[in-house]
């Protein structure tokens, strides 16, 4: 298991088949909560879809990674322009915690914690099926969160697919076999 006590730009295997990654974002906490829960804001860094504010509620997320930055260069073969996923809210605790299912067996949690004038966002993706998917998930969360930081700070995000491909190679080296 990797040490997650210090904030590192890379995520790490937090427990068997679980990946955790953190980012510091400019507050206030309600603003960052909106980036997690408002479909229009979340679409700018992750996926669109209205997340109900009640545990047990179903919803759909739709990814359009080509639209997350100015360029879709470097897109790997076999990745569609759009991908949707049915999910269910497990916990909705504004403005600190959001957890939802990640079919077929996984779950993703977002936790927000004040850290001075910044907000510490911790994302944990649990029950990832295998190492190959953990590498892809690690690169994906890393790139999506880098885009969130860019959006929240007014910076220009890196091209999604170029960054994801570079990070996939990096996580392949970092995640134990």
């Amino acid at each position: 298991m990797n040490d997650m006590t210090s904030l590192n730009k890379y995520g790490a295997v937090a427990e068997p088949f679980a990946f955790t990654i953190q980012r510091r974002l400019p507050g206030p906490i309600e603003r960052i909560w909106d980036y997690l829960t408002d479909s229009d804001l979340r679409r700018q860094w992750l996926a669109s879809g209205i997340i109900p504010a009640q545990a047990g509620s179903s919803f759909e997320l739709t990814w359009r990674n080509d639209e997350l930055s100015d360029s879709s260069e470097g897109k790997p073969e076999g990745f569609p322009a759009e991908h949707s996923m049915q999910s269910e809210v497990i916990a909705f605790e504004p403005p600190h915690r959001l957890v939802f299912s990640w079919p077929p067996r996984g779950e993703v949690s977002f936790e927000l914690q004040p850290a001075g004038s910044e907000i510490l966002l911790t994302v944990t993706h649990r029950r990832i099926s295998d190492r190959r998917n953990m590498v892809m998930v690690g690169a994906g969360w890393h790139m999506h969160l880098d885009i969130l930081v860019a959006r929240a700070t007014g910076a220009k995000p890196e091209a999604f697919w170029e960054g994801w491909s570079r990070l996939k190679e990096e996580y392949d080296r970092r995640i134990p076999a």
Side-chain angles (χ1 to χ4, degrees), residues 18-30:
F19 177 83
T20 297
I21 189 167
Q22 297 181 311
R23 290 291 182 271
R24 290 187 188 276
L25 298 156
I29 195 169
E30 292 80 10

Side-chain angles (χ1 to χ4, degrees), residues 2-164:
N2 294 328
D3 181 14
M4 289 300 298
T5 57
S6 62
L7 189 57
N8 180 329
K9 70 178 182 173
Y10 292 97
V13 177
E15 56 194 63
F17 302 105
F19 177 83
T20 297
I21 189 167
Q22 297 181 311
R23 290 291 182 271
R24 290 187 188 276
L25 298 156
I29 195 169
E30 292 80 10
R31 177 175 175 256
I32 303 307
W33 180 255
D34 287 346
Y35 271 103
L36 300 179
T37 59
D38 179 272
S39 179
D40 290 335
L41 289 173
R42 189 177 352 88
R43 175 192 62 77
Q44 297 175 30
W45 68 275
L46 182 66
S48 62
I50 297 172
I51 297 178
Q54 182 174 353
S57 300
S58 297
F59 66 97
E60 181 177 82
L61 289 176
T62 300
W63 281 260
R64 293 178 189 92
N65 291 333
D66 292 1
E67 298 175 5
L68 297 178
S69 54
D70 292 342
S71 170
S72 62
E73 297 237 357
K75 181 177 176 178
E77 271 191 49
F79 282 82
E82 181 176 299
H83 168 74
S84 294
M85 174 183 85
Q86 294 295 318
S87 192
E88 182 177 312
V89 176
I90 296 169
F92 194 93
E93 302 165 8
H96 298 284
R97 187 169 172 258
L98 171 64
V99 184
F100 54 81
S101 65
W102 191 281
R105 295 174 302 278
E107 97 179 20
V108 171
S109 67
F110 298 89
E111 296 189 21
L112 297 175
Q113 185 176 12
S117 63
E118 296 177 314
I119 305 304
L120 178 62
L121 167 62
T122 302
V123 178
T124 302
H125 190 139
R126 290 183 173 83
R127 294 190 293 283
I128 300 169
S129 61
D130 55 33
R131 183 186 181 281
R132 178 186 158 280
N133 281 327
M134 187 158 314
V135 168
M136 292 177 59
V137 163
W141 281 119
H142 188 131
M143 195 62 221
H144 283 292
L145 292 179
D146 282 358
I147 291 173
L148 172 58
V149 170
R151 299 282 186 220
T153 60
K156 182 180 176 182
E158 177 182 2
F160 180 83
W161 290 112
E162 287 180 4
W164 182 84

